[in-house]
Amino acid sequence: MEGHVAVRPPEKRLHYLNAAYDWRSWLFTLDHKRIAILYLVSLTLMFFVGGIAALLFRLHLLTPGGSLVQPQTYNKLFSAHGLVMVFFFLIPSIPAVFGNFLVPMMIGARDLAFPVINLLSWYLYVLGAILMLVATLYVGVDTGWTLYAPYTTDYAFGPVALALLAILLAGFSSILTGLNFVVTIHKLRAPGLTWFRLPLFIWAQYATGLIQILATPVLAILLITLILDRSFGVGIYDPRLGGDPVLMQRLFWFYSHPAVYIMVLPAQGVISELVPAFARRPIFGYHFIAFSSLMIAVVGFFVWDHHLFTTTQSAYAGLLFSLLSFLVAIPSSIKVFNWTATLYKGSVRLTTPMLYALGFIGLFTIGGLTGLHLAATGFDLHVHDTYFVVAHFHYIMVGGSVTAYLGALHFWWPKMTGRLYPEVWGKTAAVLLFIGFNLTFFPHFVMGYLGMPRRYATYWEEYQVWHVLSTAGSTILGAGYLLPFVYLFWSLKRGPRADANPWRATGLEWQTPSPPPTHNFDRTPIVTTGAYAYSPEADELEELHLRVERARTELARARAAIAIYHAAHPEEWEQPRPARAAGEHD
């Protein structure tokens, strides 16, 4: 029409989430970022399955006699909880989601070295997860998550064999992921990105990849021989056929103790990113943290036998492995010291990711110190197979790995989705998790020291008060886990749009738009500085600039409000102003 100008609506920016909408573009994608999202959805489903199983047997333990389920069902519940959470959430969680999403972007690459293998690893994980859900939920596995013989060699066929096959598939998925990360970090770094300019998250993923490549094949050998023993009566671990069940334990822990660091090392890498970002200081002792990750990866292979202090090993072997177990605590202590030193005199911002990072440091420290208790043979003999071990394990795995996972999710959520979440709800969830976790698992230390054995469906009445506290804490902890699921899902549609770098963090991943384009970078970046180039002077200038911008915004809003009021009440502004009295000022 005459007098009107047609305005073309702004074109929608193309990024990895909306590049193609049909389901085939996701199921057959080779984009590392989309594969990370596929892992995120899959892992979230498995997390809630394992969490529901835990909530059910915690409710069962409210009373000494256990009134919710039968003892056999109780065995199946805690076995399902352990198998699902360890093999299908804790081990793959940070590498599969944040390693997949961030490793290429943090080193300036367009994708991982082997995109097809990356997609294959997700399909192996999903197939293993389906088999595990069928085995644990449809029929039920009652061996515990450690799958010790002779529990796993008693029957010819059944759900245990299915669970063993499921873990085998998940193990091959882990090997492929680790191989992809190691090759990518070696071969695809951007120009100028030397080893000592790498983010510490990349160092952690590199060390984790080495463990995945070297340790997981031992698990594969164990699972294959267990299937042969169970299905065909070969007699490798079955004592009735001349097998040795302790050999099974040695092979299991030769993998599983390094596997602890598959869960912990990526979590430590996350904290090494969060602490400097919100303390606004370069990380303290960069080289020490980087080399401590490699030291953990190496020494972690030599401490498996501290899980067998109560078996047939000699006292001299126990002494040696006790010493090595104390030694492996040193690199983790270095990290905790350096994180604390980074916080010292830093301009700490208590954002949601930072609250999760501080919670991780506290909970991981408690878990590490109690690990030293278990490394001492005398004390370990007293608390072996008690709730003390359960508490130590969960302070490391849940208080450590899951807390860091949530910290990473909140830190990189704006980059992954292009949306911001409500900070108030994020901080509430972080506080609920910290309180609920301690209320759930700290009573386990007391029960274990008093002699309460784990994996029992009933217990003596003097332990009831501790179980009631633990079950009450588990409900708070459950709320702390459920709340992020609600507000993060809400933020996908209603959350404010995020700019490229909402945290003002350093790193190559923050130099791309949010969400990133499919190809990550329009041009291959050239790196000239270290990973943590935070400057107090630059932060002061940035803060002053933000204050000026906020003042301008408030002034513009005030002017708009005045204009609206003028338009609504013109008569008030048309009346003549009264004359001033002598000496009167405005």
Side-chain angles (χ1 to χ4, degrees):
M1 294 176 58
E2 185 178 355
H4 294 272
V5 178
V7 179
R8 177 181 297 179
E11 293 184 3
K12 192 172 184 179
R13 186 177 68 84
L14 195 66
H15 53 75
Y16 83 100
L17 288 174
N18 66 8
Y21 286 102
D22 64 302
W23 59 271
R24 289 182 296 272
S25 69
W26 280 87
L27 293 183
F28 299 102
T29 182
L30 299 181
D31 184 358
H32 67 99
K33 299 180 291 299
R34 285 195 166 195
I35 294 173
I37 299 300
L38 293 174
Y39 266 118
L40 176 62
V41 174
S42 307
L43 286 162
T44 301
L45 293 175
M46 298 303 285
F47 177 82
F48 280 106
V49 169
I52 291 171
L55 183 61
L56 289 175
F57 69 72
R58 276 257 50 98
L59 291 173
H60 172 81
L61 292 171
L62 267 174
T63 57
S67 56
L68 185 63
V69 296
Q70 295 298 317
Q72 189 70 14
T73 305
Y74 174 83
N75 292 344
K76 293 179 180 179
L77 283 175
F78 77 72
S79 299
H81 168 69
L83 288 166
V84 169
M85 291 297 260
V86 170
F87 294 107
F88 292 92
F89 181 78
L90 287 172
I91 289 177
S93 58
I94 295 178
V97 177
F98 301 105
N100 259 312
F101 194 92
L102 295 169
V103 165
M105 297 178 65
M106 281 186 164
I107 66 173
R110 289 176 175 265
D111 209 319
L112 290 170
F114 308 115
V116 176
I117 290 179
N118 193 25
L119 180 61
L120 175 61
S121 68
W122 177 73
Y123 275 106
L124 290 174
Y125 170 86
V126 170
L127 181 57
I130 293 172
L131 294 179
M132 180 58 72
L133 291 177
V134 171
T136 56
L137 301 183
Y138 182 71
V139 185
V141 176
D142 58 358
T143 62
W145 75 272
T146 53
L147 303 168
Y148 280 170
Y151 298 126
T152 49
T153 56
D154 272 350
Y155 310 100
F157 293 96
V160 173
L162 201 60
L164 294 173
L165 180 59
I167 299 170
L168 184 64
L169 292 171
F172 277 108
S173 172
S174 181
I175 293 172
L176 296 178
T177 300
L179 174 67
N180 224 341
F181 288 170
V182 169
V183 175
T184 301
I185 294 168
H186 266 283
K187 304 298 292 184
L188 299 183
R189 300 195 307 276
L193 190 57
T194 61
W195 281 97
F196 294 110
R197 287 178 177 172
L198 286 172
L200 290 168
F201 181 80
I202 298 297
W203 277 98
Q205 290 296 335
Y206 182 78
T208 303
L210 294 177
I211 298 175
Q212 289 171 303
I213 294 170
L214 297 175
T216 313
V218 177
L219 176 68
I221 294 170
L222 170 64
L223 294 171
I224 292 171
T225 51
L226 266 177
I227 292 172
L228 292 174
D229 220 24
R230 180 181 180 82
S231 303
F232 303 105
V234 177
I236 303 173
Y237 309 116
D238 191 342
R240 297 169 300 182
L241 302 175
D244 183 5
V246 177
L247 172 63
M248 182 269 163
Q249 293 184 35
R250 292 186 186 280
L251 290 173
F252 179 83
W253 288 112
F254 184 83
Y255 160 77
S256 292
H257 200 87
V260 169
Y261 300 114
I262 295 177
M263 310 175 215
V264 170
L265 271 171
Q268 293 175 340
V270 168
I271 304 305
S272 296
E273 299 298 319
L274 301 187
V275 168
F278 296 109
R280 310 310 296 172
R281 290 190 62 198
I283 193 77
F284 181 86
Y286 172 95
H287 291 80
F288 283 93
I289 296 180
F291 284 119
S292 67
S293 295
L294 297 180
M295 183 179 177
I296 288 174
V298 173
V299 181
F301 279 93
F302 299 98
V303 297
W304 78 90
D305 231 34
H306 71 220
H307 294 274
L308 284 81
F309 282 157
T310 60
T311 61
T312 55
Q313 71 177 7
S314 70
Y316 299 106
L319 181 64
L320 174 62
F321 282 99
S322 176
L323 177 62
L324 290 170
S325 299
F326 281 109
L327 181 64
V328 79
I330 294 175
S332 292
S333 303
I334 290 172
K335 292 176 186 287
V336 173
F337 170 80
N338 286 357
W339 296 329
T340 307
T342 304
L343 293 171
Y344 179 66
K345 289 188 177 180
S347 180
V348 178
R349 301 177 181 180
L350 293 179
T351 61
T352 300
M354 189 58 171
L355 289 180
Y356 279 112
L358 295 175
F360 171 93
I361 294 173
L363 299 176
F364 180 76
T365 301
I366 294 174
L369 290 174
T370 53
L372 296 179
H373 288 75
L374 295 174
T377 54
F379 188 83
D380 184 81
L381 292 174
H382 172 62
V383 298
H384 184 76
D385 264 345
T386 68
Y387 268 72
F388 192 96
V389 180
V390 177
H392 158 73
F393 181 85
H394 282 81
Y395 265 86
I396 295 291
M397 295 296 99
V398 182
S401 296
V402 179
T403 303
Y405 177 83
L406 290 172
L409 187 61
H410 286 80
F411 185 56
W412 282 294
W413 183 261
K415 178 59 59 180
M416 298 170 75
T417 65
R419 298 284 183 170
L420 298 173
Y421 50 84
E423 270 286 305
V424 173
W425 287 111
K427 293 176 180 179
T428 302
V431 172
L432 283 177
L433 183 146
F434 187 79
I435 295 173
F437 180 86
N438 281 288
L439 187 57
T440 301
F441 291 106
F442 199 84
H444 287 38
F445 283 126
V446 180
M447 286 190 286
Y449 185 77
L450 295 176
M452 169 76 194
R454 61 178 175 174
R455 300 175 179 173
Y456 275 62
T458 60
Y459 55 88
W460 292 336
E461 291 184 0
E462 53 261 40
Y463 297 116
Q464 184 174 13
V465 63
W466 303 108
H467 278 291
V468 170
L469 285 173
S470 183
T471 302
S474 68
T475 60
I476 300 174
L477 183 62
Y481 287 142
L482 186 61
L483 193 56
F485 176 79
V486 174
Y487 64 73
L488 290 177
F489 187 78
W490 172 89
S491 74
L492 291 176
K493 289 293 184 183
R494 300 180 179 272
R497 294 192 179 277
D499 62 21
N501 190 0
W503 309 118
R504 302 299 177 257
T506 60
L508 294 179
E509 77 272 23
W510 299 108
Q511 296 181 18
T512 64
S514 300
T518 303
H519 51 275
N520 293 344
F521 301 96
D522 293 328
R523 299 178 181 176
T524 301
I526 298 175
V527 180
T528 58
T529 61
Y532 307 101
Y534 294 102
S535 168
E537 295 79 9
D539 284 342
E540 289 177 5
L541 289 174
E542 182 182 353
E543 184 64 28
L544 181 60
H545 175 72
L546 290 175
R547 289 180 181 179
V548 171
E549 289 299 320
R550 283 196 292 267
R552 288 177 176 173
T553 302
E554 292 299 324
L555 181 60
R557 289 176 179 172
R559 287 174 173 171
I562 292 172
I564 293 172
Y565 191 82
H566 284 185
H569 304 85
E571 68 281 357
E572 296 186 10
W573 302 96
E574 293 173 357
Q575 297 176 1
R577 299 178 64 182
R580 299 192 187 96
E584 185 178 354
H585 299 282
D586 287 337

